[in-house]
Amino acid sequence: MSELKIYNSLHRQKEVFTSLYPGHVGMYVCGPTVSGESHLGHARPYITFDVVYRYLQFLGYKVRYVRNITDAGHFEEEGREAEDKIAKRAQLEKLEPMELVQKYTNLFHWAFLRFNCLEPSIEPTATGHIVEQIEMIKTIMEKGYAYESNGSVYFDVKKYAESHDYGILSGRVLEDMLESSNRELDGQEEKINNVDFALWKNAPPEHIMRWPSPWGEGFPGWHIECSAMSSKYLGKQFDIHGGGMDLQFPHHECEIAQSEIAHGELMARYWMHNNMITINGRKMGKAYNNTIKLTELFTGNHHLLEKAYSPMTIRFFILQTHYRSTLDFSNEALQAAEKGLQRLWAAFEVLQKLSYTADAQPINEELDKQVRQWCLECEEFISDDFNTAKVLANLFELSPVINSIKGGQVKMHELSEETFQLLKKTWQNFLIDILGLQPETLATDNSKLDGVIQLLMEMRKEAKGRKDYAASDKIRNQLLAVGIQLKDEKDGSMTYSIQ
């Protein structure tokens, strides 16, 4: 069995993984802010850490996987104003904030079940842990590393840096940050240093989501939420903390600082960060009008998409690239992934039907050795910082061998029985159990569903055109009752999302 090595962002190198408690692993991954629908960028971290979770379990570890839900708004430290994303979106959709949170939490769960992601062991919410956050802030204040100002509480970064390494994870230098942080940010006049970050914010009158605290009514800062929830369920120190590379600074850096003061030790021993997804070579974002929601991916209902793509195609596409490398999305790349996945499934289905038959003929030593090597390398590759790309490359190498056995070009006796059983075990272990791929039945079902919805939308459009508003409303309401929401766009078109 190969030693598991993980690239530790904290030390910028691969390290042999050893768990804090033998046989047990504690893993925390920053979950979604449920102020809107999940998009393609969200798919990468949760599929990446699903493979990490699966492989740790495959190795025999008992894993406590904690992935939070951020439902207490999202304080934008970098914005000019303290923006509560959830309250803002709730007002736009005419929903109560927690009604909106439930809607997008459900949609998140729905999408990632389709990706065949295992559910985490614990999924705590920020709003369910306000007490723990307040207690942690009080501890930090008692130790002299935070201060209250106008009902808000800030972490004193400069004081922390006198005896600790602020920038240990991101590599940033405090002096450079102090010189460059001269923008007019919200609450800057309340801070001792412009790099100090909020642990608690005083809620202005218009802020909907608010809780009582020793400093007045307010809401927690973004970073304190994860520190409080991870320590509650995994302890003061745990094994793995994961998330996207975009969270490395400031979120994870601030987590480290406040947790170290509150608990007296570094919160996580291994820090893992997946790289970003780009769209046709460009960063994904509202400014580029290239953010693709997961429901749009599944239905093809987006101007950048040539067709719908199944959840398994997207999962396969993501796993074809190592998680620390940039992944560029394009229709060409998705369609190539779709064909590649079909090839692997075809080979797997053939292999499942094959059974070894003994023969007096000698084995093909060269072929037998090569097949064994490709199989055994899968374990080496997944143990080398979860290199799913190399694992899939080896499965592609094995596919022609399997098809040749079926076609008769390779005789069964050319492989030893031991090698043949290793071949079957390798495909089951890696394709299904570790990489989490599954048959493409969902793709067919989804394309049929999309066709039915498109027909109903056309019928509704015709009803509105002849001013039969009763029929129009009936179609909309009955679709909504089964979890499909129609939206009339400003240009007269119609879109839908699945709740």
Side-chain angles (χ1 to χ4, degrees):
M1 183 70 73
S2 302
E3 285 186 314
L4 174 59
K5 293 180 181 177
I6 295 177
Y7 183 87
N8 192 346
S9 301
L10 192 68
H11 303 137
R12 297 166 186 79
Q13 63 182 15
K14 287 182 189 177
E15 297 172 356
V16 174
F17 176 75
T18 56
S19 60
L20 194 60
Y21 301 103
H24 296 258
V25 173
M27 181 170 75
Y28 185 89
V29 175
C30 292
T33 299
V34 285
S35 58
E37 190 177 333
S38 298
H39 53 69
L40 178 60
H42 294 130
R44 194 170 195 190
Y46 305 125
I47 288 173
T48 293
F49 289 102
D50 181 62
V51 171
V52 174
Y53 184 31
R54 286 171 177 271
Y55 189 53
L56 289 168
Q57 289 183 313
F58 179 81
L59 291 177
Y61 287 106
K62 184 175 181 181
V63 185
R64 177 174 285 182
Y65 174 20
V66 182
R67 186 186 66 206
N68 75 296
I69 295 287
T70 298
D71 62 347
H74 193 293
F75 173 56
E76 292 295 317
E77 191 81 30
E78 298 300 323
R80 289 178 181 270
E81 298 179 359
E83 179 189 28
D84 182 342
K85 286 185 178 180
I86 289 172
K88 185 177 180 181
R89 186 62 179 261
Q91 289 171 339
L92 287 173
E93 295 196 24
K94 294 181 171 57
L95 299 171
E96 286 294 324
M98 295 315 294
E99 187 179 6
L100 179 114
V101 160
Q102 192 65 55
K103 171 185 173 180
Y104 288 118
T105 299
N106 290 345
L107 197 54
F108 170 79
H109 288 154
W110 171 83
F112 284 91
L113 282 175
R114 300 198 71 196
F115 283 133
N116 198 31
C117 289
L118 301 176
E119 294 180 350
S121 314
I122 302 172
E123 192 174 53
T125 63
T127 54
H129 295 79
I130 298 295
V131 171
E132 288 85 353
Q133 292 169 66
I134 289 173
E135 289 303 310
M136 191 170 180
I137 294 169
K138 285 163 66 176
T139 299
I140 296 169
M141 292 184 77
E142 287 165 7
K143 293 186 176 182
Y145 285 86
Y147 56 90
E148 185 269 337
S149 178
N150 297 330
S152 296
V153 180
Y154 296 95
F155 186 88
D156 192 334
V157 171
K158 199 169 181 182
K159 180 173 181 179
Y160 172 81
E162 291 173 1
S163 53
H164 302 80
D165 186 1
Y166 186 75
I168 188 172
L169 183 66
S170 62
R172 303 209 179 191
V173 179
L174 180 60
E175 287 72 20
D176 295 341
M177 288 188 275
L178 286 166
E179 290 176 9
S180 61
S181 299
N182 55 7
R183 291 168 294 169
E184 293 180 24
L185 304 181
D186 174 68
Q188 285 292 72
E189 71 284 350
E190 296 177 349
K191 302 179 183 180
I192 295 174
N193 310 296
N194 51 15
V195 292
D196 295 346
F197 58 88
L199 298 173
W200 187 266
K201 283 293 293 182
N202 178 41
E206 67 275 10
H207 202 97
I208 299 173
M209 300 181 80
R210 56 206 296 140
W211 292 266
S213 80
W215 317 286
E217 284 201 347
F219 53 96
W222 174 26
H223 317 306
I224 198 70
E225 297 175 355
C226 287
S227 286
M229 288 185 281
S230 63
S231 61
K232 180 179 175 89
Y233 297 109
L234 297 174
K236 295 177 181 179
Q237 188 178 63
F238 52 93
D239 295 299
I240 299 171
H241 194 313
M245 197 172 284
D246 57 323
L247 299 180
Q248 205 168 30
F249 187 89
H251 185 48
H252 290 165
E253 194 77 70
C254 295
E255 275 191 72
I256 288 174
Q258 63 199 13
S259 295
E260 194 165 4
I261 293 303
H263 303 135
E265 53 190 319
L266 189 65
M267 65 185 298
R269 299 164 69 239
Y270 299 85
W271 289 78
M272 295 180 64
H273 294 91
N274 64 275
N275 213 320
M276 300 296 101
I277 286 181
T278 55
I279 310 284
N280 297 316
R282 303 186 76 174
K283 182 180 177 181
M284 187 167 63
K286 291 180 182 177
Y288 301 116
N289 192 28
N290 65 354
T291 300
I292 305 175
K293 297 173 184 176
L294 295 180
T295 51
E296 292 170 337
L297 273 170
F298 299 161
T299 61
N301 190 22
H302 190 280
H303 71 277
L304 290 177
L305 298 175
E306 294 177 3
K307 53 176 286 187
Y309 297 101
S310 74
M312 281 302 105
T313 295
I314 297 161
R315 184 179 180 108
F316 178 77
F317 168 69
I318 287 171
L319 297 180
Q320 273 190 302
T321 301
H322 190 269
Y323 77 90
R324 286 191 291 109
S325 300
T326 303
L327 176 60
D328 188 53
F329 168 93
S330 68
N331 282 283
E332 294 77 14
L334 257 294
Q335 287 163 27
E338 190 173 59
K339 290 176 183 175
L341 181 56
Q342 288 169 357
R343 279 175 54 203
L344 288 188
W345 272 121
F348 179 64
E349 288 171 357
V350 166
L351 184 59
Q352 283 185 307
K353 294 173 184 175
L354 293 175
S355 56
Y356 192 78
T357 52
D359 197 298
Q361 297 295 321
I363 67 170
N364 182 333
E365 296 284 354
E366 185 177 347
L367 178 63
D368 191 78
K369 181 181 178 181
Q370 181 63 78
V371 169
R372 286 185 63 80
Q373 181 182 331
W374 281 328
C375 290
L376 294 173
E377 280 178 344
C378 287
E379 184 192 312
E380 292 178 24
F381 295 149
I382 200 71
S383 293
D384 184 14
D385 195 31
F386 307 96
N387 199 326
T388 57
K390 285 189 174 182
V391 169
L392 286 169
N394 270 29
L395 294 182
F396 276 117
E397 295 283 8
L398 289 164
S399 296
V401 177
I402 295 167
N403 293 327
S404 295
I405 293 173
K406 179 192 177 185
Q409 297 92 339
V410 171
K411 304 300 181 184
M412 182 67 77
H413 72 261
E414 293 186 62
L415 297 179
S416 67
E417 183 173 5
E418 183 184 5
T419 298
F420 178 74
Q421 296 304 333
L422 175 63
L423 179 63
K424 294 195 80 167
K425 184 180 178 182
T426 297
W427 278 72
Q428 176 65 41
N429 287 349
F430 285 90
L431 193 69
I432 309 296
D433 299 339
I434 297 170
L435 299 186
L437 295 164
Q438 64 181 10
E440 284 283 30
T441 52
L442 289 175
T444 304
D445 293 344
N446 192 72
S447 63
K448 290 178 181 177
L449 174 64
D450 183 56
V452 171
I453 296 172
Q454 294 293 345
L455 175 62
L456 288 169
M457 288 198 301
E458 188 61 33
M459 290 171 65
R460 181 169 181 261
K461 189 175 181 181
E462 290 173 0
K464 290 181 73 176
R466 61 177 185 268
K467 297 186 178 180
D468 185 356
Y469 298 116
S472 169
D473 290 346
K474 184 177 181 181
I475 293 170
R476 182 196 62 202
N477 294 338
Q478 291 195 350
L479 282 173
L480 187 61
V482 295
I484 299 167
Q485 184 175 42
L486 299 184
K487 182 180 179 182
D488 296 308
E489 303 293 350
K490 291 180 180 178
D491 62 2
S493 64
M494 202 178 303
T495 59
Y496 73 88
S497 61
I498 301 173
Q499 307 295 303

PDB file of all heavy atoms in Angstrom, residues 469-480:
ATOM      1  N   TYR A 469     -54.810  34.156 -19.526  1.00  0.00           N
ATOM      2  CA  TYR A 469     -53.944  34.210 -18.354  1.00  0.00           C
ATOM      3  C   TYR A 469     -54.258  33.097 -17.348  1.00  0.00           C
ATOM      4  O   TYR A 469     -53.378  32.685 -16.581  1.00  0.00           O
ATOM      5  CB  TYR A 469     -54.053  35.585 -17.690  1.00  0.00           C
ATOM      6  CG  TYR A 469     -53.606  36.700 -18.609  1.00  0.00           C
ATOM      7  CD1 TYR A 469     -54.501  37.679 -19.044  1.00  0.00           C
ATOM      8  CD2 TYR A 469     -52.287  36.745 -19.078  1.00  0.00           C
ATOM      9  CE1 TYR A 469     -54.097  38.689 -19.912  1.00  0.00           C
ATOM     10  CE2 TYR A 469     -51.877  37.753 -19.951  1.00  0.00           C
ATOM     11  CZ  TYR A 469     -52.784  38.711 -20.355  1.00  0.00           C
ATOM     12  OH  TYR A 469     -52.379  39.691 -21.217  1.00  0.00           O
ATOM     13  N   ALA A 470     -55.456  32.591 -17.358  1.00  0.00           N
ATOM     14  CA  ALA A 470     -55.802  31.493 -16.453  1.00  0.00           C
ATOM     15  C   ALA A 470     -55.000  30.247 -16.809  1.00  0.00           C
ATOM     16  O   ALA A 470     -54.432  29.573 -15.933  1.00  0.00           O
ATOM     17  CB  ALA A 470     -57.301  31.197 -16.533  1.00  0.00           C
ATOM     18  N   ALA A 471     -54.891  29.948 -18.109  1.00  0.00           N
ATOM     19  CA  ALA A 471     -54.118  28.782 -18.556  1.00  0.00           C
ATOM     20  C   ALA A 471     -52.623  29.005 -18.315  1.00  0.00           C
ATOM     21  O   ALA A 471     -51.896  28.095 -17.893  1.00  0.00           O
ATOM     22  CB  ALA A 471     -54.380  28.517 -20.039  1.00  0.00           C
ATOM     23  N   SER A 472     -52.188  30.235 -18.560  1.00  0.00           N
ATOM     24  CA  SER A 472     -50.781  30.576 -18.342  1.00  0.00           C
ATOM     25  C   SER A 472     -50.387  30.387 -16.881  1.00  0.00           C
ATOM     26  O   SER A 472     -49.352  29.779 -16.567  1.00  0.00           O
ATOM     27  CB  SER A 472     -50.535  32.029 -18.776  1.00  0.00           C
ATOM     28  OG  SER A 472     -49.258  32.468 -18.357  1.00  0.00           O
ATOM     29  N   ASP A 473     -51.227  30.908 -15.988  1.00  0.00           N
ATOM     30  CA  ASP A 473     -50.952  30.798 -14.554  1.00  0.00           C
ATOM     31  C   ASP A 473     -51.019  29.345 -14.082  1.00  0.00           C
ATOM     32  O   ASP A 473     -50.251  28.925 -13.207  1.00  0.00           O
ATOM     33  CB  ASP A 473     -51.939  31.645 -13.750  1.00  0.00           C
ATOM     34  CG  ASP A 473     -51.704  33.141 -13.938  1.00  0.00           C
ATOM     35  OD1 ASP A 473     -50.629  33.496 -14.474  1.00  0.00           O
ATOM     36  OD2 ASP A 473     -52.581  33.932 -13.561  1.00  0.00           O
ATOM     37  N   LYS A 474     -51.936  28.581 -14.662  1.00  0.00           N
ATOM     38  CA  LYS A 474     -52.088  27.176 -14.266  1.00  0.00           C
ATOM     39  C   LYS A 474     -50.812  26.383 -14.584  1.00  0.00           C
ATOM     40  O   LYS A 474     -50.333  25.601 -13.766  1.00  0.00           O
ATOM     41  CB  LYS A 474     -53.290  26.554 -14.976  1.00  0.00           C
ATOM     42  CG  LYS A 474     -53.570  25.119 -14.544  1.00  0.00           C
ATOM     43  CD  LYS A 474     -54.821  24.560 -15.225  1.00  0.00           C
ATOM     44  CE  LYS A 474     -55.085  23.131 -14.758  1.00  0.00           C
ATOM     45  NZ  LYS A 474     -56.284  22.558 -15.421  1.00  0.00           N
ATOM     46  N   ILE A 475     -50.257  26.598 -15.769  1.00  0.00           N
ATOM     47  CA  ILE A 475     -49.002  25.912 -16.152  1.00  0.00           C
ATOM     48  C   ILE A 475     -47.883  26.298 -15.192  1.00  0.00           C
ATOM     49  O   ILE A 475     -47.156  25.441 -14.684  1.00  0.00           O
ATOM     50  CB  ILE A 475     -48.614  26.258 -17.607  1.00  0.00           C
ATOM     51  CG1 ILE A 475     -49.632  25.661 -18.584  1.00  0.00           C
ATOM     52  CG2 ILE A 475     -47.205  25.742 -17.923  1.00  0.00           C
ATOM     53  CD1 ILE A 475     -49.468  26.139 -20.015  1.00  0.00           C
ATOM     54  N   ARG A 476     -47.757  27.605 -14.937  1.00  0.00           N
ATOM     55  CA  ARG A 476     -46.704  28.079 -14.032  1.00  0.00           C
ATOM     56  C   ARG A 476     -46.876  27.504 -12.631  1.00  0.00           C
ATOM     57  O   ARG A 476     -45.911  26.993 -12.031  1.00  0.00           O
ATOM     58  CB  ARG A 476     -46.718  29.610 -13.968  1.00  0.00           C
ATOM     59  CG  ARG A 476     -45.623  30.201 -13.082  1.00  0.00           C
ATOM     60  CD  ARG A 476     -45.921  31.643 -12.755  1.00  0.00           C
ATOM     61  NE  ARG A 476     -47.175  31.740 -12.001  1.00  0.00           N
ATOM     62  CZ  ARG A 476     -47.916  32.847 -11.938  1.00  0.00           C
ATOM     63  NH1 ARG A 476     -47.569  33.929 -12.591  1.00  0.00           N
ATOM     64  NH2 ARG A 476     -49.041  32.859 -11.228  1.00  0.00           N
ATOM     65  N   ASN A 477     -48.069  27.557 -12.084  1.00  0.00           N
ATOM     66  CA  ASN A 477     -48.317  27.117 -10.714  1.00  0.00           C
ATOM     67  C   ASN A 477     -48.155  25.612 -10.544  1.00  0.00           C
ATOM     68  O   ASN A 477     -47.638  25.141  -9.522  1.00  0.00           O
ATOM     69  CB  ASN A 477     -49.718  27.555 -10.253  1.00  0.00           C
ATOM     70  CG  ASN A 477     -49.837  29.069 -10.158  1.00  0.00           C
ATOM     71  OD1 ASN A 477     -48.828  29.767 -10.035  1.00  0.00           O
ATOM     72  ND2 ASN A 477     -51.061  29.578 -10.230  1.00  0.00           N
ATOM     73  N   GLN A 478     -48.594  24.847 -11.540  1.00  0.00           N
ATOM     74  CA  GLN A 478     -48.467  23.386 -11.423  1.00  0.00           C
ATOM     75  C   GLN A 478     -47.020  22.937 -11.553  1.00  0.00           C
ATOM     76  O   GLN A 478     -46.605  21.972 -10.915  1.00  0.00           O
ATOM     77  CB  GLN A 478     -49.372  22.693 -12.450  1.00  0.00           C
ATOM     78  CG  GLN A 478     -50.852  22.858 -12.125  1.00  0.00           C
ATOM     79  CD  GLN A 478     -51.741  21.904 -12.910  1.00  0.00           C
ATOM     80  OE1 GLN A 478     -51.303  21.242 -13.828  1.00  0.00           O
ATOM     81  NE2 GLN A 478     -53.011  21.834 -12.527  1.00  0.00           N
ATOM     82  N   LEU A 479     -46.243  23.638 -12.373  1.00  0.00           N
ATOM     83  CA  LEU A 479     -44.806  23.332 -12.445  1.00  0.00           C
ATOM     84  C   LEU A 479     -44.125  23.701 -11.126  1.00  0.00           C
ATOM     85  O   LEU A 479     -43.273  22.960 -10.632  1.00  0.00           O
ATOM     86  CB  LEU A 479     -44.154  24.088 -13.611  1.00  0.00           C
ATOM     87  CG  LEU A 479     -44.386  23.494 -15.008  1.00  0.00           C
ATOM     88  CD1 LEU A 479     -43.824  24.426 -16.074  1.00  0.00           C
ATOM     89  CD2 LEU A 479     -43.737  22.120 -15.131  1.00  0.00           C
ATOM     90  N   LEU A 480     -44.520  24.830 -10.559  1.00  0.00           N
ATOM     91  CA  LEU A 480     -43.938  25.260  -9.286  1.00  0.00           C
ATOM     92  C   LEU A 480     -44.244  24.254  -8.178  1.00  0.00           C
ATOM     93  O   LEU A 480     -43.414  23.987  -7.305  1.00  0.00           O
ATOM     94  CB  LEU A 480     -44.473  26.647  -8.903  1.00  0.00           C
ATOM     95  CG  LEU A 480     -43.838  27.313  -7.669  1.00  0.00           C
ATOM     96  CD1 LEU A 480     -42.342  27.525  -7.881  1.00  0.00           C
ATOM     97  CD2 LEU A 480     -44.512  28.641  -7.367  1.00  0.00           C
TER      98      LEU A 480
END
